[in-house]
Amino acid sequence: QMQLLESGGGMVQAGGSLRLSCAASGGTFSSYAMGWFRQGPGKEREFVTGISRSGGSTSYADSVKGRFTISRDNAKNTVYLQMNSLKPEDTAVYYCAARPRLLYTTDRREYRYWGQGTQVTVSS
């Protein structure tokens, strides 16, 4: 049973940056592809970005492409989300998720473990 714990959320002005971290425990982190999802007020949870087990493959939602960067450190059992040029529409609860496969997917149903989420609020 893997546990995921996100951190790094907060409030920032538009144009600012935040770095989210997701620390994993209780499992073999390098056996899981990882994803970041977000859920804004009144919206469904949506895929933001994913990274393969080795970190060699990544993918981004069009809405964050060029502004967000996902990375992972398998030695530290941690996945990161660097968010730059933040916009008010990025306001959401951000969740990390683990999928026991080589690659990520945009389908949240494919992820086995989820963190509790961290709030990101971007003011205009």
Side-chain angles (χ1 to χ4, degrees):
Q1 187 84 3
M2 177 178 281
Q3 292 81 45
L4 301 173
L5 183 63
E6 301 98 335
S7 61
M11 185 176 294
V12 64
Q13 289 189 330
S17 298
L18 283 173
R19 189 194 194 203
L20 306 184
S21 298
C22 172
S25 61
T28 305
F29 181 69
S30 59
S31 296
Y32 292 81
M34 300 297 295
W36 285 97
F37 290 74
R38 67 185 181 187
Q39 187 165 14
K43 298 181 180 180
E44 290 193 356
R45 194 170 299 188
E46 64 176 359
F47 174 82
V48 176
T49 179
I51 189 165
S52 62
R53 288 198 306 221
S54 68
S57 178
T58 59
S59 180
Y60 298 89
D62 287 343
S63 58
V64 307
K65 202 170 292 183
R67 300 187 297 122
F68 290 11
T69 303
I70 189 172
S71 61
R72 65 188 297 162
D73 185 337
N74 286 346
K76 295 183 177 180
N77 293 346
T78 303
V79 62
Y80 304 97
L81 181 60
Q82 178 67 43
M83 304 186 295
N84 298 329
S85 302
L86 282 161
K87 304 175 181 180
E89 51 264 44
D90 295 318
T91 294
V93 178
Y94 283 72
Y95 300 88
C96 67
R99 182 179 192 239
R101 296 290 188 272
L102 174 64
L103 291 175
Y104 46 82
T105 173
T106 61
D107 187 348
R108 63 182 184 264
R109 297 170 297 180
E110 292 288 320
Y111 289 81
R112 181 174 296 178
Y113 300 111
W114 290 82
Q116 86 292 343
T118 185
Q119 177 71 47
V120 171
T121 302
V122 184
S123 60
S124 57

